[in-house]
Amino acid sequence: MITASFHGESIMRYSAFSVFLNALRGNKSWQPAWRSPVPKNHYDVIIVGGGGHGLATAYYLAKEFGMTNVAVLEKGYIGSGNVGRNTTIIRSNYLLQGNNPFYELSMKLWERLEQDFNFNAMVSQRGVLNLYHSDAQRDAYTRRGNAMRLHGVDSDLLDRNAVRQMLPFLDFDNARFPIQGALMQKRGGTVRHDAVAWGYARGADMRGVDIIQNCEVTGIRRENGRVTGVETSQGFIGCGKLALAAAGNSTTVADMVDMKLPIESHVLQAFVSEGLKPFIDNVVTFGAGHFYVSQSDKGGLVFGGDIDGYNSYAQRGNLATVEHVAEAGVAMIPALSRVRVLRSWGGVMDMSMDGSPIIDRTHIDNLYLNAGWCYGGFKATPASGFCYAHLIAKNEPHETGRAFRLDRFARGRMIDEKGVGAQPNLH
Amino acid sequence: MASLIACPHCGPRPKEEFTVRGDAGITRPTPDAGQEAWHAYVYLRDNPRGRHKEHWHHTSGCRRWLIVERDTMTHVIYSAVDAATIGETV
Ligand SMILES: Cc1cc2nc3c(=O)[nH]c(=O)nc-3n(C[C@H](O)[C@H](O)[C@H](O)COP(=O)(O)OP(=O)(O)OC[C@H]3O[C@@H](n4cnc5c(N)ncnc54)[C@H](O)[C@@H]3O)c2cc1C
Ligand SMILES: [Zn+2]
């Protein structure tokens, strides 16, 4: 077996060879992918939230910035939040300055992630197509595609025939929303979401990071204007720096230091159908309503639409939204009316006031904030972790994440990709 | 989210008839209140896990603005009153 030694324990490197060897040994010598340590009294850095962003931050802190006396505190289990609830789409097809280079950094990190953390995350660059249904929408997508190319990101504007060749089953002649073409990003696609959490968790753990599950942060202790540690369901734990990465629960944690955020929590639902033979090769989004779909390797159609629209922490939504999503889906692919849905669920989104995230320091010197990911933070996971780790380690923003400042609202520097203003339920 | 909201004018109506605006705890500052007050008004929101008061508009009904108090964790609705009966001091 191939092993490497870190902090006195031997960690198995995954490879085709190790799969083969373990099979010969009856699969009895696999090790747990990460430890379950008892929390220490004090860490240099505590990260609140063991979602994709918290775990990626810990991984890059240890791997890129040499900070290993780090703990990730997760109130549930790893992967129980949005990182394990999303529809797994990755893309970097953004229009605006602050966004585009950041999501492209993330895409580049996705492209080498599996080698980097030695875990199969099933990164699949199957292409993302955004359909357009009118001349005006084509013009808007042309502009977006050009902006992407100016940033060095791939984009292709497809006409109706090109789309028809790829996806003949779409309703091209829909009376209200005929399909005229699509903007395609070939490098976009899907990634197995919970493998991302596991891969980062394992990579951080093997470098010495403590991942502490079932540990809810209930209070933040401060002395002389600085954070000294956190109260948790497993007792007090001291820290030099505190980094929040609680996604949909960002407000509840920020409330512990009376920090009011430009964020509302909303519920977003997702759906999986029965398994079908392969027929949707790409990720496809409807341009006349909010609907997006891809097909998993097991054959299930994975799809979703709009947030429900009211503040919620419940991780479940309403039937009216289910109906709305189904209608949009059938308007795009009539054959969906014959498909049965197997499962649906909801996740709590940290919807920000301009639809863009925050990676910044706060009014408290050693408190850091990572929040506001809305319904699109999965694709951001690698870049978010990387930029946040940079900020925590160096007290300076990473060049690529510079625009995501908390004070941008006060300074009039919103990054409003959709252009709907300070109304979180419309982003 | 509960399916019905008891509009004080129309009675219990499906929530799909309403448009949500959000946090009812914010009050429009005076024009000369200064940057900080205006920033807070436009961008900062109470976002509790639990009881919360919000502005809901009965768009497909009486078209009155209501203040709906509900629980963001259980989705239970406690009350719905016409915003005008409370004024700007909520
Ligand atoms: C249905 C759905 C579909 C989505 N689809 C996509 C998509 O296709 N593409 C995309 O890019 N994005 C998508 N997203 C958004 C994406 O999933 C999120 O933006 C992203 O996962 C948020 O970051 P995270 O992984 O760190 O969050 P999470 O996994 O939610 O991590 C936050 C963690 O903090 C923990 N926590 C909270 N409070 C405390 C506390 N007090 N103490 C300790 N721990 C605490 C939570 O338990 C949670 O595990 C989708 C989201 C949903 C719900
Ligand atoms: Zn009414």
Side-chain angles (χ1 to χ4, degrees):
Chain A
M1 189 181 320
I2 306 171
T3 57
S5 195
F6 292 91
H7 53 86
E9 287 173 49
S10 67
I11 306 288
M12 200 184 311
R13 234 193 108 70
Y14 296 150
S15 65
F17 185 61
S18 73
V19 170
F20 179 72
L21 262 180
N22 273 283
L24 289 182
R25 291 180 178 142
N27 283 316
K28 286 190 185 122
S29 43
W30 291 108
Q31 307 289 313
W34 58 85
R35 300 161 296 134
S36 297
V38 176
K40 296 187 222 165
N41 293 331
H42 189 275
Y43 292 92
D44 294 339
V45 179
I46 286 182
I47 297 167
V48 182
H53 293 225
L55 294 166
T57 304
Y59 174 80
Y60 292 117
L61 271 175
K63 180 162 180 284
E64 305 293 336
F65 302 98
M67 298 189 76
T68 54
N69 187 19
V70 174
V72 178
L73 309 185
E74 165 54 47
K75 74 172 171 185
Y77 58 90
I78 297 303
S80 59
N82 294 336
V83 68
R85 292 167 185 265
N86 62 71
T87 41
T88 78
I89 300 167
I90 62 164
R91 56 187 173 87
S92 56
N93 56 359
Y94 282 75
L95 173 72
L96 298 180
Q97 285 273 314
N99 277 336
N100 189 298
F102 174 81
Y103 288 100
E104 179 57 14
L105 170 66
S106 218
M107 186 61 79
K108 294 214 168 83
L109 290 168
W110 284 122
E111 283 170 338
R112 54 188 150 87
L113 182 66
E114 294 167 295
Q115 300 305 320
D116 191 73
F117 69 17
N118 180 234
F119 204 91
N120 180 8
M122 296 164 68
V123 176
S124 160
Q125 293 180 290
R126 58 183 68 184
V128 173
L129 286 92
N130 304 126
L131 302 177
Y132 59 81
H133 308 262
S134 68
D135 293 352
Q137 202 170 22
R138 182 201 52 219
D139 292 351
Y141 281 5
T142 306
R143 179 174 173 230
R144 175 189 294 254
N146 285 337
M148 289 162 66
R149 290 204 161 200
L150 287 172
H151 280 108
V153 181
D154 68 304
S155 73
D156 294 284
L157 197 71
L158 307 183
D159 65 12
R160 183 178 158 97
N161 274 337
V163 178
R164 199 190 281 275
Q165 299 218 325
M166 300 172 71
L167 305 157
F169 47 81
L170 299 181
D171 189 5
F172 285 87
D173 298 312
N174 183 301
R176 178 69 181 80
F177 305 115
I179 294 166
Q180 292 194 6
L183 181 67
M184 180 174 191
Q185 185 185 17
K186 288 190 180 136
R187 287 161 65 240
T190 59
V191 181
R192 175 161 185 208
H193 50 13
D194 26 33
V196 173
W198 300 333
Y200 276 125
R202 174 170 166 271
D205 173 273
M206 68 165 72
R207 289 173 177 82
V209 172
D210 282 358
I211 293 161
I212 300 163
Q213 305 184 69
N214 299 311
C215 182
E216 177 169 6
V217 171
T218 53
I220 297 175
R221 205 183 278 181
R222 278 178 292 170
E223 267 165 44
N224 304 321
R226 287 178 67 82
V227 172
T228 55
V230 287
E231 315 288 347
T232 79
S233 51
Q234 299 190 25
F236 175 80
I237 311 175
C239 65
K241 296 180 175 185
L242 185 64
L244 309 181
N249 278 285
S250 293
T251 301
T252 59
V253 184
D255 279 348
M256 295 171 191
V257 290
D258 301 318
M259 177 165 61
K260 207 164 171 178
L261 297 179
I263 284 176
E264 285 180 6
S265 297
H266 285 263
V267 56
L268 177 67
Q269 305 190 60
F271 310 86
V272 172
S273 78
E274 60 191 327
L276 302 167
K277 287 186 177 172
F279 84 110
I280 301 182
D281 299 334
N282 321 92
V283 178
V284 193
T285 78
F286 191 39
H290 208 156
F291 178 81
Y292 44 90
V293 61
S294 66
Q295 190 167 15
S296 78
D297 290 5
K298 283 190 287 185
L301 302 183
V302 181
F303 59 94
D306 265 325
I307 56 175
D308 273 38
Y310 45 85
N311 286 37
S312 174
Y313 283 89
Q315 295 185 315
R316 63 190 150 77
N318 265 106
L319 278 174
T321 303
V322 178
E323 189 179 16
H324 183 81
V325 170
E327 280 170 359
V330 171
M332 187 174 103
I333 307 176
L336 287 189
S337 64
R338 307 280 298 269
V339 172
R340 277 164 297 206
V341 171
L342 281 191
R343 296 184 285 129
S344 76
W345 62 91
V348 185
M349 322 281 35
D350 34 339
M351 299 298 296
S352 71
M353 284 288 167
D354 61 357
S356 293
I358 296 155
I359 304 177
D360 204 355
R361 305 181 63 181
T362 66
H363 66 289
I364 299 171
D365 194 39
N366 59 346
L367 179 70
Y368 303 79
L369 178 68
N370 176 310
W373 293 100
C374 301
Y375 45 77
F378 176 65
K379 69 174 96 69
T381 306
S384 167
F386 194 86
C387 291
Y388 200 32
H390 184 286
L391 179 74
I392 295 162
K394 307 198 167 199
N395 271 332
E396 279 216 4
H398 184 270
E399 202 189 351
T400 314
R402 241 175 220 294
F404 300 145
R405 290 172 58 152
L406 179 54
D407 69 358
R408 68 174 181 268
F409 303 96
R411 290 163 53 248
R413 303 260 175 207
M414 277 71 72
I415 311 168
D416 191 342
E417 193 81 20
K418 204 168 164 192
V420 295
Q423 187 66 32
N425 63 358
L426 299 182
H427 280 289
Chain B
M1 189 47 217
S3 304
L4 297 176
I5 293 176
C7 175
H9 307 293
C10 314
R13 304 297 309 168
K15 74 165 198 326
E16 285 68 44
E17 288 184 0
F18 297 78
T19 309
V20 202
R21 199 200 63 98
D23 190 0
I26 45 172
T27 313
R28 191 182 180 86
T30 57
D32 57 358
Q35 290 261 345
E36 214 168 295
W38 275 95
H39 167 249
Y41 171 68
V42 180
Y43 295 111
L44 303 183
R45 296 289 178 267
D46 275 338
N47 179 31
R49 181 167 62 192
R51 272 185 185 249
H52 192 29
K53 282 185 184 159
E54 294 167 322
H55 284 129
W56 287 64
H57 188 232
H58 198 179
T59 327
S60 305
C62 59
R63 300 192 64 83
R64 295 292 298 173
W65 278 101
L66 309 181
I67 291 175
V68 175
E69 182 170 20
R70 58 184 191 93
D71 192 305
T72 60
M73 193 61 218
T74 62
H75 291 166
V76 168
I77 293 181
Y78 298 111
S79 65
V81 296
D82 192 295
T85 62
I86 300 194
E88 290 210 338
T89 52
V90 185

